[in-house]
Amino acid sequence: MSSVKKIDRDIYKMIVENLAGADDSEMMGNNVTQLLVGALEVKGATIFVLNPETEELEILASSGLSMNFINKGPILVDKSIRLPPNRKPVIIRDTSADKRLQYPEKAEEEGIRSIVSVPIQLRGKIIGGLRIYHSDVWDVSQKELAFFEVLALNIGMALMYFRLANAVESVKNTLDEIHPIWM
């Protein structure tokens, strides 16, 4: 199954508008994953953020997947779908014939047959991942892959914006607390 006909400028515009219009990273993630699942008619979508201390990918938002699958266990960077050293996307066309999955039995139970995993990078560092899950074997086209890569770049920029906004808010709150001292 190909979603190439479903990926068009209107879908991309709608997703980017949701990225730009969100109030926080969780809202952004929920909006984007829901739009991806609905617009592309895929099984599910998840946005992960990397916890640098534990080297685990933590779920920021997910849509279309069961709680059993979401709570299957920690997603370890070195055991999950391995990202090549050149930080390229990983496409698993058929999960039943691929050995790169950390939880292959959970993917089978969930009815997942294909996975596209795209790193979310910021300034050359991987800060998370975007995964699209399909219930059919999926021959991902170059257009689809390019769409997911650009989307991952946009998600990375949005995550940076939310981190900066939170840092500015924290500094503002600190200054508001000490401001009476200076009066």
Side-chain angles (χ1 to χ4, degrees):
M1 192 280 198
S2 175
S3 59
V4 72
K5 291 183 178 133
K6 295 175 182 77
I7 296 174
D8 63 16
R9 184 180 40 200
D10 293 334
I11 296 297
Y12 183 71
K13 182 180 179 215
M14 185 180 352
I15 291 172
V16 170
E17 285 172 348
N18 275 277
L19 281 169
D23 293 332
D24 58 47
S25 59
E26 189 175 317
M27 175 191 280
M28 176 272 302
N30 286 326
N31 290 345
V32 169
T33 56
Q34 289 172 14
L35 283 168
L36 285 170
V37 170
L40 303 181
E41 298 177 4
V42 293
K43 170 97 177 126
T46 302
I47 296 174
F48 295 94
V49 291
L50 178 64
N51 179 330
E53 292 175 13
T54 62
E55 293 196 5
E56 291 180 9
L57 292 171
E58 297 174 350
I59 294 175
L60 172 68
S62 188
S63 182
L65 302 170
S66 71
M67 290 308 291
N68 186 42
F69 185 76
I70 290 171
N71 295 324
K72 64 188 168 290
I75 309 295
L76 304 173
V77 172
D78 62 343
K79 295 192 188 273
S80 184
I81 297 173
R82 289 179 173 72
L83 297 172
N86 57 4
R87 299 172 188 214
K88 298 282 186 195
V90 174
I91 299 169
I92 298 184
R93 181 183 176 278
D94 184 356
T95 57
S96 67
D98 201 298
K99 304 294 183 216
R100 292 178 285 179
L101 298 178
Q102 183 179 354
Y103 299 103
E105 68 288 344
K106 294 293 185 183
E108 184 178 349
E109 288 172 18
E110 188 71 11
I112 294 170
R113 287 295 305 273
S114 297
I115 303 172
V116 177
S117 181
V118 181
I120 297 173
Q121 299 183 50
L122 184 60
R123 297 184 183 163
K125 291 183 178 181
I126 293 177
I127 63 167
L130 169 66
R131 290 198 182 158
I132 312 298
Y133 305 90
H134 207 300
S135 54
D136 298 321
V137 172
W138 187 9
D139 290 315
V140 178
S141 72
Q142 287 300 323
K143 182 178 178 183
E144 291 167 319
L145 187 57
F147 169 79
F148 295 134
E149 288 177 311
V150 170
L151 179 57
L153 286 170
N154 281 284
I155 292 169
M157 287 188 290
L159 290 172
M160 178 179 69
Y161 166 78
F162 290 121
R163 286 180 183 174
L164 289 172
N166 288 338
V168 168
E169 183 68 24
S170 178
V171 169
K172 180 191 174 299
N173 290 339
T174 300
L175 289 173
D176 287 346
E177 288 176 13
I178 64 169
H179 182 59
I181 295 172
W182 301 104
M183 296 192 104

